[in-house]
Amino acid sequence: MGDWTELLPGLTDADRRDVETGLTEADARIRAVLHIASRYHWRFSVTNVPEWTAVGSWPAEERRSAALAMHRESVASSNPGGLNDVVRSLADGDLPWTRADLVWCLEVVARGDFYDLGAHLELPAVIAARLAPTELAGLVPALDALLSELTSGYFIAAEPRRHAVALLGAALDHATGRRLPSWLFHRGDGFGPLVRAEMSGVLAAPGVPELLAHCVSLAKPAAPVKWQRRLDEFLATTPGGAEAVRSVLETFVAYGRRLHDDSDRLLRGLVWALSRQPDESATDLLARVTAAAAAAPRQASGFPHAQRTAVAAVQLLAGRSGEVPVRTLARLAVTVKNKAVQSRVQTALARIGALRGWSLSEVMELAIDDHGLSPEGRLHTQVGPYEATVQVVGEKARLTFTRDTAPLRSVPAQVKQAYGDELKQLRDLVKRVGATMTAERQRVEGLLSEERTWSYADWSSRYLEHPITGTYGRRLLWETSTDSHLWSAGLPRQDNDGWTIVDRDGRVIAGDRVRLWHPARATTHEVLAWREHVLATALTQPFKQAFREVYLVTPAEERTQLYSNRFAAHILRYRQANVLMRTRGWQTGYLGTWDGGYDSEATKLLGGGAWRASFHHQLVDNPDPSTYDVEYCSTDQVRFARRDGADWQPAAAVDVPPLVFSEAMRDVDLFVGVTSIATDPQWADRGEDRFQAYWHSTVSAALTPSAEVRRDALARLLPRTKIAERVDLSDRYLHVHGNIRTYRIHLGSGNIMMEPNDAYLCIVTAHDRTGRLHLPFDDDPMLSTILSKAIMLAADDTITDTTVLRQLAR
């Protein structure tokens, strides 16, 4: 129990006798009724059966005693939830409740086991709400502390808790004369006290508490017409109502953290109130509230700060005019990991596209915010005697300062002291630009699964001249055509007349349509030539394109038709796999030892939303039954489905568009290749034997398409390194000839065997040791790992790590 029990006044012997007189008889009588009614099916509330009707005719004093008896039973019972309706029904009506009854009930709660279904709260809350303010005198501190404990607790069912908090809060307000209800903006999170501290006068203004109470009463994302009419009445008759709504929502945007469920419900109603204001500033605020509500902590990306608010706000934002809703929702489409919010975002974007005549993919494309940057990715601002520049550098946004054209290494002290607000705005801009870049990189890569084409003018304006998208588009391969049949590939180049596409020899390629190049549509000769060109020109692509893996349907998948077992039966490190799935845009739940938590299905939309891939995986039980954390999962089938209106129809692998199939299988290969226990260099030393057979078979297995591409990249990179004379490639391994021993590094798992006896060598790379070697892409960490291990082992006589030296000396 919390501190409220210490604030509870004691009962005199006389008061206790008054409360408990007749309790035993009433207890026996009500138990008899419950025993008769127990033969009904469990799904019916006992208060709805015929035998309960007679209880309503009992004398008020006997019903009071029966309610007290059932309250005592609910606190001690192992199934208290079943008594909620019983206590509520017995306490209904005008019963002779006293202050002593309330204190007695609270004493019973303080002595009980405090079960989590809320039945222990029912009667004290009802009594407190029925007592006169004079009878509550002396109980306010205890009730206030109890209310704080209820709002900050996580082990009470939501509905009983909300019911009790509302009744106790009303009693406190009645006793203290508080204008703003205690159950609004309570201490269950940091947001409630913050709002009360900053806006107490605004919130207590005439009509505002009633408006807030109406907002919190909204039970669903879509408001009923009757509720909306009542909302409009409140807004029309409350002079400060609209401003209070905006102020609370502005405070939430600045708060930027997870909300208590009660606060979330209140904000859901407030965004509906905000939506009644048609001006652009209301649209802008609604967009910022939507983004803040849908945001989630990095370590819990599937749990938004305010999910109820986000779902409602997405729907309302989609109905607003202008570009702000499109940009906000497009950004959320590639950043939100919560399934409920993500599905609403996709529906909202499709709705916007239908209204404006755009495809979903085009909606996403047109919504990219340029943040006021020039086409070169810069924004210059004068801050006192300094010039601040927000600039896109590579794939990051940076803030720099100059004075009299001389660059400064850091933020000037004068700017920090005298221009704090301007500095904060600039830093916020850098964060927003960075978030847009992260989302845009993922969106552009997603185009590889689509058959999109652009006119030359749209392509150059959207993918080359845009300050955000251009940082990616200018480093990618594109194809152009004059007849949409014969396509020629090249890289963008800016000439005096604008952007053109040029081939490997720098010759301009004519065409009026453009599409993104994919190796699945190119010949082997063309793919190899572009790989060599990318390396020769030191072009770092934003993601694998020239070196991208291609996955074709196999005969086995033709036989299984509706599923692929290509990546089944692998053992993955679950936490790492789950994070990687979400990072790659897959929607997935969490595995756990609860009902329905033993298997999961990760899904991703491809082909512009027309196709869906599903990757099935299951929990692997921990050997220690006392450990509930999921360490490993096993992989299973990959399935595909085609969108059919609001439904999805299963599709055979041979019917899936090649780009969709290849991109989906590439992601699953990535999950296995990065998180399989076979890639853990310390696994062999753990002494665990459950997965030893799998580990040993996988560390030297045939190469997957991703490992084949890695091999090709190494074949081109190694001749450019200082260890070129000490390494050679075979079908599965990179052989490294050191001064002490010779080594084989598997190109799939990165594991090392020492020749001639195939002894396993464990090396955990602490950091990148590839030096200044140019890599054509940065989304294959295993490539860097293999290169750093090879560089280290080629000079094995210089190794000083004692752990490695002991293994070499065996």
Side-chain angles (χ1 to χ4, degrees), residues 353-365:
L355 290 173
R356 305 191 187 189
W358 301 334
S359 68
L360 177 59
S361 184
E362 193 168 12
V363 170
M364 303 282 287
E365 185 172 279

Side-chain angles (χ1 to χ4, degrees), residues 489-493 495 500-509 530:
L491 286 164
R493 186 179 73 189
D495 296 332
T500 59
I501 295 179
V502 298
D503 63 16
R504 290 185 293 275
D505 296 322
R507 294 187 297 265
V508 175
I509 307 172
W530 277 116

Side-chain angles (χ1 to χ4, degrees), residues 417-536:
Q417 295 166 3
Y419 302 95
D421 290 342
E422 291 87 340
L423 179 60
K424 183 180 183 300
Q425 291 174 8
L426 288 168
R427 284 174 168 167
D428 287 344
L429 176 59
V430 169
K431 289 181 181 179
R432 293 198 304 274
V433 172
T436 301
M437 293 185 71
T438 300
E440 185 63 346
R441 181 189 184 279
Q442 186 172 343
R443 186 193 72 83
V444 174
E445 187 177 9
L447 292 172
L448 287 166
S449 71
E450 296 186 43
E451 292 286 355
R452 283 283 307 279
T453 64
W454 297 265
S455 68
Y456 223 92
D458 286 345
W459 166 71
S460 60
S461 66
R462 298 177 190 180
Y463 285 89
L464 304 178
E465 296 169 5
H466 193 284
I468 305 296
T469 312
T471 194
Y472 304 114
R474 293 189 286 266
R475 293 179 288 146
L476 292 172
L477 288 164
W478 300 86
E479 291 181 290
T480 186
S481 174
T482 55
D483 58 6
S484 296
H485 293 289
L486 182 63
W487 295 85
S488 300
L491 286 164
R493 186 179 73 189
Q494 191 172 25
D495 296 332
N496 294 332
D497 296 332
W499 288 94
T500 59
I501 295 179
V502 298
D503 63 16
R504 290 185 293 275
D505 296 322
R507 294 187 297 265
V508 175
I509 307 172
D512 56 8
R513 300 298 298 176
V514 179
R515 71 181 185 184
L516 191 59
W517 183 87
H518 195 294
R521 290 190 293 235
T523 64
T524 302
H525 172 75
E526 183 184 5
V527 171
L528 296 178
W530 277 116
R531 288 179 181 178
E532 189 61 36
H533 183 79
V534 165
L535 284 173

Side-chain angles (χ1 to χ4, degrees), residues 714-729:
L714 285 168
R716 300 170 190 279
L717 287 168
L718 289 170
R720 295 173 165 84
T721 67
K722 62 182 181 181
I723 63 170
E725 301 300 324
R726 288 183 168 269
V727 295
D728 57 81
L729 281 166

Side-chain angles (χ1 to χ4, degrees), residues 18 23 42 98 127 147 153 166 206 283-284 286 348 350 378 398 481 514 555 566 607 625 632 664 688 698 703 740:
D18 287 343
L23 203 63
W42 61 269
T98 66
I127 297 174
L147 190 68
T283 300
D284 177 70
L286 182 58
R378 297 189 190 92
R398 301 188 185 280
S481 174
V514 179
R566 188 184 306 196
Y632 310 110
E688 299 183 41
T698 307
L703 301 186
I740 299 176

